[in-house]
Amino acid sequence: MEKKAKIKIAITIASLAAISILFTRQQRRRRKLNQCSQYSCYLQSEPKPQHNFKRVLADNSYSPFKHANKEKSSGSHPYELEITALLENPRPEFDFSNVDLDLQRSDSFVWVETKSQLNELANALSKEFFFAVDTEQHSLRSFLGFTALIQISTEKEDYLVDTIALHDEISILQPFFADPGVCKVFHGSDNDVMWLQRDFHIYVVNLFDTAKACEVLSKPQKSLAYLLETYCGVATNKFLQREDWRQRPLPAEMLQYAQTDAHYLLYIAKCLVAELKQQGNENSYCPDDKFNFVLEASRRSNTVCLQVYTKEIESYPGEAAASSIFFRLLNGQGGVSSISSVTQDLVRRLCAWRDLMARVHDESLRFVLSDQAIIALANKAPANPTDVYTTIAQADSDVDCLNLSSSLPSPSPVVCSHLDDVERQVCNNVENLDDILLANLQKCLGPNGSCPLSVFNYVLPAKSNWELKNQSNKFVYKQNGVKVSRQVAKKASRDLFVQKFSCKSPVYHNCRIYANDGRLLCYCDRKKLEWYLTRDLAKLVEDNPPAIMLLFEPKGRPEDEGNEFYIQSKKNICVSCGEGNHYLRYRIIPSCYRIHFPEQLKSHRSHDIVLLCVDCHEVAHAAAEKYKKQISAEFGIPLFIHKVADSRKAEARPGFSASITNFEAGVSPLQLRTAAMALLHHGPTMPSNRREELRRIVMRYYGGREISQEDLERALLVGMSPRERRRHAKKRGLSLKMSKPTDFPDRQQDSYPAVMVESATMDATKADNVLGLHAIETQKSGEKEGRSSLTESHESKPPTCSNGGIDQLVFSTIWKKMNSTSKVSDSKDDSVGNVDDECENSSVQNGFGSSSPTPNSKVSLLGHGPHGKQVVDYLLREYGEDGIRQFCQRWRQVFVEALHPHFLPAGWDVMHRIINFPVASLNVSSPA
Ligand code: AMP
Ligand code: ZN
Ligand code: MN
């Protein structure tokens, strides 16, 4: 009995203990989970040594590695010529026989961690004809790995170079490594040669690799440990190789290990060369052959030098890892098709996510998420963050039991900081993977992103090649022939578009204007400089790029005192992605609104005109069109004019009075135009019922009366601004000029009195397309005529300020002065604003504050012009100019959200010229 009771108690205690252990474990997990769910990246509080690097040659972006440029280098290896010369004609003189080497390793070495110490090392190396090299790497907490230490040994000294502290300075050692007259001794140099290229653009020319010599000599082993043992009687602990070489100070044991790795190499090389010569002598009949073994070792060594470092480029992020996981899941049996497609998809998603996260955080893949965790997640598809967390922890601890060495935190801090994203990958397999990855990238590195930007990841959002690639090439692995050909077609049309519409010459000339006291007023284009110079208002003070100094005291200074934006040279690149080969001007505030702004608010437009590449332009334009619809709904102001009717009374002709009553009056301008166009071009050949349908549309405009050929021609012009008409006339050539002038009512008469604005229900897609093209056409022709916003000039008008804020101050003075003396070309059509036109001019008329929906006769009814005017009128009436400023801010916000631009000029700001306006007041309520 007593025994039984004792056992019972023991069991109870044991189970209580077990429960409490389980409980505390769970508690700990839960606590960790809570930490996890905080929306902040672990890197915010965990600095990594590589974060102090100012510059890296191999960043974590998906773009290829750029090698050093060297004159006369033909291939990708900058020293190809020098190395091939060595291969063809090795230097037999390299000979270590008279090297005086101290086999005894002294305990002293030179620790190199400052710039001056590095200079001393460089100075020492400049006296050497050979030196030995080894490097230590760190790869766990870095995506591509980095060199943590370089060991250099000469006959006299061992140097340990702290390549973390000196990361940005090491390049001063380049010449010694590239000098064919200096022999570098490595052991097993394949990796070191690449690492030195990757981190420092150090290229090794003239190498003697002791491992290659072992090969030539057919040694039983070729490890360094073996050589050290055999030639030097030194034992090493190669486990230290895997230690964390980022530690500072390095423990004595590691320092000694590192020193040893390079110290004996010269001596070993000397022994091996002697053996190679010996072999040559023994194995040859002809004494001239006696260097062959040495030469062979040299050739094999220098072949290594020819290798070039490349980043692994996959056609989709994580693709290679996914394939290897499939292979492992199968244990080498069966085809991939035997894994369920759901599992396959999850593995791919997780591998892609892991790849992206490793790049963002500069961590190795295995640190972010283990392969076994990916397999577990793909099999289980956990439904909530807690489940994700435990699945990963379980998978890793299962493997840990088998392999006690692994001590990585599981789940990793990366997973913990972004747990919800892992869950999204696993749960949401409907969403396009590209979209999720991009969203993740934005969440991490976008404005207000959760993770710190670094030299490793800042290029990532701008140059996500897979994203560009996948815009036309979604899911490479699902690709089929049809898709490919479509891609090709799409690419061709895009190329054509780029060729046709992008700016041919730099938009920003970066000319400068100085005030007469020498202060920089602004940057501008050449035209503007010329304008001042030809009028003797300024003198040229510098050329290339030219700068002028004004000869008069400007009435005011830039009101942007302290705003960098106007006083900086601007780059001719896409402000979003940095593309420099093609770009278009993009107006952040759509012209349909801007053109109606009061003059004083229009003067600073250069802030809101940016350069975008064709791809980013498309994205921004689409976002703007979408937002216009939102504005339209919010303000209750339709985007399009719904109906127009002929201004002239429908001429009551005998016999037609009856039919007129059956026609409702008015038709949308776009519909009218399309119908008239079709009838003019294809009328006789189209099916009669279609022709009748179109005729009735045109008749509706004319109030139901019968229509003639001339009516059709006139209908083509309905709703066009004068500018559009001129262009139209130009296109149609003389045929139009010869027709009766009365068919082209002048502006005054033709002011669309019968416009009825109804609702915003008109099908906008068609119109959008038409307008999209039209907008570009206008822009292009504007450029040709030298009237585009950034190079604007008018014969006798001062060019409106393109970049600077001084215009309104400086120009108004001169302008008035000039006007008083010379006659200004009056407001001919040229100077009249147009919906899609950038030409913003003071002669754009009137009517602000008027609530009448009467459209501006100079504004096209085919576009969003009337909508723009009504919105602006409303804002001015209700909120005054502040309303306009806030409206501009909303558009900048739309732009930033659409693109997350990375190359906006300094000083560019969503809040530009908005002072004291709380963001909360942004949402202007719609008119009652
Ligand atoms: P070593 O050439 O032996 O000095 O090795 C140079 C670097 O290569 C080390 O600092 C390690 O980062 C890496 N390395 C070499 N072998 C291994 C290994 N078996 N496991 C992990 N890392 C290694
Ligand atoms: Zn993060
Ligand atoms: Mn080593």
Side-chain angles (χ1 to χ4, degrees):
M1 276 302 250
E2 227 180 67
K3 213 177 184 179
K4 263 190 187 167
K6 265 184 189 165
I7 290 172
K8 251 189 193 169
I9 290 167
I11 288 173
T12 321
I13 291 173
S15 33
L16 274 176
I19 288 167
S20 75
I21 285 170
L22 272 177
F23 182 74
T24 43
R25 254 208 200 165
Q26 232 162 13
Q27 282 278 316
R28 211 177 296 152
R29 235 176 225 181
R30 207 162 284 155
R31 216 174 302 137
K32 207 171 167 194
L33 199 59
N34 280 340
Q35 286 167 7
C36 271
S37 48
Q38 281 166 14
Y39 185 65
S40 131
C41 181
Y42 69 101
L43 284 179
Q44 307 281 11
S45 54
E46 192 199 317
K48 297 204 287 183
Q50 66 263 44
H51 285 160
N52 294 323
F53 299 173
K54 288 202 180 68
R55 208 171 94 88
V56 288
L57 299 171
D59 64 31
N60 297 348
S61 71
Y62 292 90
S63 47
F65 181 74
K66 284 201 188 81
H67 277 276
N69 284 323
K70 192 172 145 283
E71 265 183 89
K72 283 193 284 180
S73 74
S74 52
S76 53
H77 195 301
Y79 291 90
E80 195 179 326
L81 288 179
E82 288 83 349
I83 297 167
T84 41
L86 274 181
L87 290 176
E88 282 156 19
N89 197 2
R91 301 187 163 218
E93 73 271 20
F94 98 12
D95 182 352
F96 302 95
S97 54
N98 39 18
V99 176
D100 176 26
L101 282 163
D102 179 12
L103 191 54
Q104 222 44 47
R105 190 190 59 85
S106 83
D107 283 334
S108 71
F109 54 83
V110 180
W111 178 255
V112 180
E113 65 174 356
T114 66
K115 215 172 162 178
S116 67
Q117 290 165 335
L118 186 64
N119 284 327
E120 280 171 40
L121 168 60
N123 190 36
L125 289 181
S126 67
K127 298 177 184 114
E128 300 292 336
F129 289 100
F130 35 78
F131 55 89
V133 187
D134 185 35
T135 74
E136 302 304 327
Q137 302 293 315
H138 181 76
S139 58
L140 177 66
R141 305 297 308 276
S142 154
F143 184 69
L144 294 170
F146 59 88
T147 306
L149 195 71
I150 296 181
Q151 304 102 289
I152 294 178
S153 291
T154 65
E155 280 176 84
K156 303 160 208 94
E157 201 76 72
D158 296 327
Y159 300 88
L160 301 185
V161 186
D162 182 347
T163 50
I164 296 178
L166 290 169
H167 178 270
D168 301 308
E169 321 286 347
I170 295 296
S171 53
I172 75 159
L173 299 180
Q174 284 162 354
F176 308 109
F177 283 89
D179 186 348
V182 178
C183 178
K184 275 70 65 176
V185 178
F186 283 70
H187 178 87
S189 56
D190 301 66
N191 289 327
D192 299 275
V193 160
M194 304 285 223
W195 291 330
L196 291 171
Q197 292 180 10
R198 177 197 63 196
D199 292 345
F200 313 114
H201 275 173
I202 284 180
Y203 296 87
V204 183
V205 181
N206 191 355
L207 168 71
F208 185 84
D209 187 326
T210 48
K212 297 290 175 203
C214 287
E215 275 174 33
V216 175
L217 289 166
S218 307
K219 291 274 174 196
Q221 281 185 48
K222 56 170 189 175
S223 71
L224 182 61
Y226 165 79
L227 293 174
L228 285 171
E229 189 92 53
T230 337
Y231 292 91
C232 315
V234 173
T236 55
N237 173 9
K238 268 286 163 189
F239 278 118
L240 289 170
Q241 190 182 49
R242 304 169 183 220
E243 281 294 322
D244 185 348
W245 287 98
R246 299 174 302 167
Q247 300 174 65
R248 295 292 181 275
L250 278 165
E253 195 189 19
M254 287 171 78
L255 287 168
Q256 192 194 325
Y257 166 89
Q259 187 188 358
T260 307
D261 261 5
H263 176 82
Y264 297 97
L265 281 181
L266 288 181
Y267 177 79
I268 292 170
K270 180 179 165 177
C271 299
L272 291 171
V273 168
E275 282 182 42
L276 288 163
K277 283 180 183 171
Q278 180 69 21
Q279 285 258 3
N281 287 335
E282 282 167 14
N283 292 313
S284 83
Y285 306 101
C286 162
D288 284 351
D289 277 353
K290 73 172 181 179
F291 281 119
N292 269 6
F293 276 71
V294 181
L295 298 188
E296 180 56 22
S298 158
R299 241 193 307 270
R300 290 196 194 181
S301 300
N302 280 309
T303 307
V304 174
C305 300
L306 269 183
Q307 295 182 68
V308 283
Y309 174 77
T310 50
K311 288 202 228 169
E312 269 175 52
I313 308 283
E314 300 175 301
S315 50
Y316 204 80
E319 205 190 26
S323 304
S324 97
I325 287 176
F326 294 146
F327 189 76
R328 197 165 339 153
L329 276 175
L330 296 161
N331 284 321
Q333 315 147 7
V336 179
S337 53
S338 66
I339 305 170
S340 83
S341 65
V342 176
T343 312
Q344 276 186 47
D345 192 46
L346 286 179
V347 168
R348 286 198 178 101
R349 279 164 188 273
L350 289 162
C351 285
W353 179 84
R354 174 174 74 170
D355 184 90
L356 184 65
M357 287 300 113
R359 289 169 192 267
V360 165
H361 298 91
D362 197 35
E363 302 284 6
S364 61
L365 296 178
R366 70 198 156 105
F367 182 78
V368 175
L369 187 62
S370 66
D371 283 359
Q372 64 264 15
I374 287 184
I375 294 172
L377 288 170
N379 281 330
K380 197 169 174 225
N384 58 62
T386 318
D387 224 8
V388 169
Y389 184 97
T390 48
T391 308
I392 296 172
Q394 190 62 48
D396 286 330
S397 76
D398 288 353
V399 172
D400 269 357
C401 292
L402 305 169
N403 165 13
L404 292 165
S405 65
S406 170
S407 56
L408 298 183
S410 171
S412 70
V414 185
V415 168
C416 284
S417 303
H418 302 279
L419 205 54
D420 42 344
D421 296 334
V422 189
E423 188 209 347
R424 197 169 157 200
Q425 290 293 346
V426 178
C427 300
N428 200 339
N429 49 14
V430 253
E431 245 177 296
N432 181 323
L433 179 52
D434 286 359
D435 297 343
I436 310 184
L437 288 183
L438 277 178
N440 275 333
L441 192 56
Q442 287 308 335
K443 212 170 140 192
C444 289
L445 299 180
N448 313 316
S450 57
C451 313
L453 277 171
S454 72
V455 288
F456 294 96
N457 67 24
Y458 80 102
V459 200
L460 208 48
K463 288 217 157 125
S464 293
N465 285 4
W466 53 268
E467 174 209 347
L468 287 182
K469 191 168 11 178
N470 287 296
Q471 278 182 358
S472 58
N473 190 2
K474 291 221 155 116
F475 288 93
V476 176
Y477 46 84
K478 278 186 190 162
Q479 212 177 73
N480 60 41
V482 180
K483 272 188 189 155
V484 171
S485 60
R486 235 186 249 147
Q487 284 157 28
V488 172
K490 195 170 169 190
K491 188 183 175 297
S493 81
R494 180 187 168 281
D495 288 351
L496 193 72
F497 185 87
V498 168
Q499 196 192 337
K500 235 178 142 176
F501 293 117
S502 61
C503 306
K504 300 293 182 298
S505 54
V507 170
Y508 300 117
H509 297 277
N510 286 323
C511 306
R512 286 150 296 159
I513 299 182
Y514 290 97
N516 49 6
D517 61 0
R519 237 199 64 190
L520 181 61
L521 291 174
C522 71
Y523 275 86
C524 63
D525 57 45
R526 273 174 211 276
K527 281 215 168 103
K528 187 145 139 189
L529 289 202
E530 278 156 23
W531 192 89
Y532 282 106
L533 288 171
T534 55
R535 285 161 185 80
D536 287 330
L537 293 167
K539 63 172 181 191
L540 193 68
V541 289
E542 259 173 76
D543 30 41
N544 207 19
I548 57 166
M549 185 181 279
L550 299 180
L551 294 173
F552 58 95
E553 170 59 25
K555 199 176 167 196
R557 290 306 170 97
E559 46 186 296
D560 300 281
E561 199 104 39
N563 182 347
E564 267 182 281
F565 179 81
Y566 291 108
I567 309 181
Q568 66 182 317
S569 84
K570 295 210 185 69
K571 293 198 183 103
N572 285 294
I573 56 170
C574 169
V575 298
S576 175
C577 72
E579 168 69 69
N581 293 322
H582 62 266
Y583 32 77
L584 300 158
R585 293 183 191 83
Y586 179 76
R587 285 152 195 83
I588 293 171
I589 294 138
S591 306
C592 69
Y593 304 111
R594 175 131 207 153
I595 194 149
H596 303 293
F597 286 180
E599 201 54 39
Q600 64 275 23
L601 290 178
K602 275 200 276 192
S603 60
H604 302 289
R605 59 189 168 182
S606 76
H607 182 272
D608 295 321
I609 299 179
V610 292
L611 296 187
L612 289 181
C613 73
V614 167
D615 303 293
C616 295
H617 202 282
E618 205 178 311
V619 174
H621 180 74
E625 289 306 302
K626 203 170 146 195
Y627 199 67
K628 271 190 197 169
K629 284 178 193 155
Q630 197 177 315
I631 296 268
S632 154
E634 181 182 326
F635 288 67
I637 297 171
L639 273 179
F640 291 96
I641 296 291
H642 200 187
K643 279 180 184 175
V644 283
D646 190 10
S647 54
R648 310 162 200 199
K649 290 263 182 298
E651 296 151 47
R653 292 187 193 175
F656 282 97
S657 48
S659 62
I660 288 173
T661 48
N662 293 335
F663 277 88
E664 57 169 307
V667 60
S668 101
L670 203 70
Q671 222 185 346
L672 172 67
R673 204 178 126 72
T674 320
M677 184 87 83
L679 286 171
L680 277 170
H681 287 220
H682 308 289
T685 54
M686 66 173 63
S688 58
N689 54 344
R690 175 66 182 150
R691 185 167 52 235
E692 192 48 36
E693 206 179 305
L694 294 176
R695 260 170 42 78
R696 290 178 80 85
I697 289 173
V698 180
M699 282 166 81
R700 235 189 278 156
Y701 172 75
Y702 290 109
R705 69 168 166 79
E706 200 48 60
I707 48 170
S708 65
Q709 184 80 2
E710 275 152 18
D711 286 331
L712 287 177
E713 301 254 3
R714 195 154 67 87
L716 281 186
L717 302 175
V718 168
M720 276 186 181
S721 69
R723 189 158 219 248
E724 285 169 328
R725 286 182 190 196
R726 273 202 330 282
R727 195 166 303 119
H728 178 82
K730 226 179 186 173
K731 253 195 212 161
R732 293 182 55 97
L734 288 170
S735 67
L736 274 183
K737 278 191 187 154
M738 288 191 297
S739 47
K740 276 182 280 170
T742 43
D743 281 349
F744 302 96
D746 71 79
R747 285 204 309 274
Q748 298 314 84
Q749 294 172 335
D750 186 32
S751 53
Y752 324 114
V755 167
M756 288 155 277
V757 180
E758 291 196 345
S759 64
T761 52
M762 181 187 149
D763 172 36
T765 19
K766 220 177 184 177
D768 271 357
N769 290 338
V770 173
L771 290 166
L773 256 180
H774 172 73
I776 285 161
E777 246 175 49
T778 314
Q779 181 175 332
K780 180 94 187 299
S781 69
E783 249 158 55
K784 261 197 213 135
E785 293 157 38
R787 213 185 305 106
S788 68
S789 55
L790 290 170
T791 53
E792 187 168 349
S793 81
H794 201 286
E795 283 149 288
S796 62
K797 291 191 173 194
T800 336
C801 187
S802 55
N803 290 6
I806 61 167
D807 285 50
Q808 288 313 303
L809 307 160
V810 179
F811 288 113
S812 55
T813 350
I814 307 168
W815 181 217
K816 277 175 202 143
K817 220 162 91 186
M818 305 237 356
N819 275 351
S820 62
T821 51
S822 72
K823 197 174 174 279
V824 185
S825 71
D826 67 3
S827 62
K828 45 180 192 173
D829 282 358
D830 252 319
S831 57
V832 174
N834 174 296
V835 180
D836 294 305
D837 206 332
E838 56 289 299
C839 178
E840 291 164 9
N841 191 296
S842 54
S843 63
V844 167
Q845 61 191 67
N846 63 54
F848 296 120
S850 114
S851 57
S852 118
T854 311
N856 183 330
S857 68
K858 288 163 189 177
V859 163
S860 166
L861 295 187
L862 298 170
H864 300 148
H867 159 82
K869 178 160 167 45
Q870 283 187 63
V871 169
V872 171
D873 284 352
Y874 170 78
L875 285 172
L876 282 169
R877 194 171 62 239
E878 296 294 315
Y879 305 95
E881 291 185 1
D882 294 342
I884 299 291
R885 288 194 190 95
Q886 291 182 49
F887 187 68
C888 291
Q889 186 190 337
R890 290 172 70 171
W891 280 102
R892 290 185 202 113
Q893 194 63 43
V894 169
F895 172 71
V896 165
E897 276 165 21
L899 286 175
H900 295 290
H902 275 74
F903 298 92
L904 279 168
W908 192 94
D909 190 2
V910 169
M911 299 293 286
H912 187 63
R913 272 172 222 285
I914 306 240
I915 318 141
N916 300 331
F917 288 103
V919 183
S921 68
L922 272 182
N923 285 320
V924 185
S925 58
S926 51

